Amino acid sequence: MLWIPGPTEVRPELLAECARAAIGHRSPQMRELIERLDPHLPWAFGLSAGSDAHVGVHSTSASGLMEASLRGVGPRVLSVVNGAFSRRFFQMAELLGKDVERLDVAWGAGVEPAELAERLERDGPFDAVTLVANETSTGVRTPLAPLANVLREHGRAMFLVDVVSLIAGAPVDFDAHGIDFAFAGVQKALALPPGIAVCCASDRYMAGARALERGSWALDPVRILEGHAARKTPATPCTPLYYGLARQLEDISAGVTLAPGTDAAPGAAAWGARFARHERMQARTASWASGHGLELFPAPRFASPTVSCVNAGSLDVGAVVSGLAAHGFSISNGYGDLKGKTFRIGHMGDHTEKGLEELLAAADEVLEVVSVAGPR
Ligand SMILES: Cc1ncc(COP(=O)(O)O)c(C=O)c1O
């Protein structure tokens, strides 16, 4: 069972949806399929009532939409880098020829509002600021509200936010957080097989992007979002995953993915109850770790609701990962430089608290053996 930080486990009902036969992408069925998504995507992105934001879906992995987001902004970019995926955002901006600067933050922390303000004041104005809201490599969630205030106070930069491992696991609050472009794959807390990605753009982003030379056909954010609005995907989409996404969004909104007996009305409350489950799974994983004398890699206020990155101390991470694999649970070693020093548990998507208890019970057994074997 997949407890890695994505892709995560997919419910059999969703796999069945993804096994449907292909349909013509210019057919009425495709139009209907796209129309099934639109009532729910605003909840996924946490749009405010009356929002003028534009939602869309594209057949690419999340990295494709990371690139698309950058194609719709001007040349001066500030990239907050606090992990592997935020570094990718920075590197993409460089490759696209942007005049990009990086604001480095210690891995394990999120950028402080004062740091961002200072940088915007000193080196601004910027056309865009990039941020990964939930760094899957370090298990850090950066609180967005204080950053949104800073950006509002400092002018016109577009706020491009990677919500890949956050969406459907925690609120995105796109409008309240002043986001201009947010994107995510579907293989994390949306709990589908990988292959398509979702995005949301502010009207201001769209207006700015239309006026620019965007230099791409397949990853043009305007083509993607206008195509979605017209129910015409620019190119042949991955229709099986559209079926999976439609069903998953409908199920989340209806409360079908909640534990039986959960008291939540369909709609926003059902999404809220799903987010609350992720928070509880985070708290439970942190208390399990502390019961073993282990700490999370991030400071507690940055702990991600979807990915717990645990400092392994003297534990042999390879032995922990393979020990759990022998029990049928797949977790991840640390990412990049954190390999061998941390391990990551992805408690996201449709995983349940009961399932988490089973994983942690197996982890108890594994740690007993690994600890007895002694430090490396
Ligand atoms: C935070 C974050 N951003 C971007 C990506 C890249 O996503 P993809 O592999 O779907 O392109 C990932 C993948 O794990 C991620 O965790």
Side-chain angles (χ1 to χ4, degrees):
M1 177 154 293
L2 282 178
W3 286 84
I4 60 174
T8 194
E9 204 60 26
V10 181
R11 293 184 290 132
E13 303 88 295
L14 298 181
L15 286 176
E17 291 291 334
C18 296
R20 284 175 184 267
I23 53 173
H25 60 294
R26 303 289 176 230
S27 66
Q29 294 102 299
M30 186 65 204
R31 168 174 276 274
E32 280 163 27
L33 189 48
I34 295 174
E35 279 170 358
R36 282 174 61 195
L37 308 173
D38 276 21
H40 308 280
L41 286 172
W43 277 314
F45 284 102
L47 300 189
S48 305
S51 172
D52 58 7
H54 308 245
V55 292
V57 180
H58 196 51
S59 298
T60 173
S61 85
S63 301
L65 289 186
M66 187 183 271
E67 178 173 332
S69 74
L70 287 162
R71 290 193 173 277
V73 296
R76 291 216 70 220
V77 175
L78 177 66
S79 281
V80 176
V81 177
N82 65 335
F85 295 103
S86 41
R87 186 176 54 204
R88 182 181 300 182
F89 219 162
F90 164 77
Q91 287 167 339
M92 264 190 201
E94 262 190 328
L95 281 168
L96 290 175
K98 303 285 185 193
D99 173 14
V100 56
E101 294 189 19
R102 78 193 255 179
L103 195 177
D104 275 297
V105 176
W107 287 35
V111 66
E112 296 295 346
E115 276 178 290
L116 180 62
E118 198 255 328
R119 194 60 185 269
L120 291 173
E121 235 150 72
R122 199 185 72 202
D123 299 329
F126 290 96
D127 295 306
V129 171
T130 71
L131 183 93
V132 172
N134 194 70
E135 249 300 349
T136 321
S137 58
T138 57
V140 165
R141 181 212 349 218
T142 300
L144 296 179
L147 303 184
N149 290 337
V150 168
L151 283 168
R152 275 189 203 107
E153 283 161 16
H154 286 82
R156 64 192 173 92
M158 296 285 174
F159 195 19
L160 312 182
V161 184
D162 170 326
V163 294
V164 172
S165 53
L166 197 71
I167 198 165
V172 172
D173 290 341
F174 183 91
D175 294 302
H177 289 149
I179 302 175
D180 290 292
F181 196 101
F183 58 89
V186 295
Q187 73 273 22
K188 308 277 188 187
L190 277 168
L192 287 160
I196 61 172
V198 294
C199 59
C200 186
S202 66
D203 205 42
R204 159 182 116 105
Y205 174 95
M206 290 296 277
R210 282 190 192 104
L212 287 173
E213 177 52 61
R214 300 179 297 280
S216 174
W217 193 97
L219 293 177
D220 173 359
V222 175
R223 188 185 301 275
I224 291 167
L225 285 153
E226 286 184 347
H228 184 88
R231 279 71 179 99
K232 286 184 183 144
T233 59
T236 315
C238 179
T239 49
L241 280 169
Y242 272 68
Y243 278 116
L245 180 61
R247 170 76 187 266
Q248 176 67 320
L249 291 172
E250 286 163 358
D251 282 358
I252 295 173
S253 294
V256 168
T257 67
L258 300 172
T262 307
D263 185 19
W271 283 82
R274 182 178 176 90
F275 302 151
R277 182 179 73 220
H278 282 80
E279 290 290 351
R280 290 195 301 274
M281 290 200 287
Q282 185 282 322
R284 174 69 184 107
T285 307
S287 80
W288 168 84
S290 113
H292 284 277
L294 302 170
E295 284 184 342
L296 295 189
F297 178 69
R301 72 192 169 104
F302 294 121
S304 157
T306 55
V307 182
S308 286
C309 181
V310 182
N311 269 326
S314 60
L315 287 173
D316 177 344
V317 177
V320 174
V321 172
S322 58
L324 271 168
H327 282 78
F329 296 102
S330 184
I331 67 162
S332 284
N333 205 318
Y335 196 103
D337 292 348
L338 296 177
K339 190 165 182 190
K341 297 179 187 149
T342 61
F343 58 89
R344 290 172 303 151
I345 299 177
H347 33 72
M348 59 171 70
D350 293 332
H351 277 308
T352 63
E353 289 167 278
K354 182 169 167 285
L356 180 63
E357 291 308 325
E358 287 161 9
L359 165 72
L360 297 179
D364 285 340
E365 285 183 34
V366 169
L367 286 203
E368 220 163 275
V369 178
V370 173
S371 302
V372 167
R376 282 169 291 162

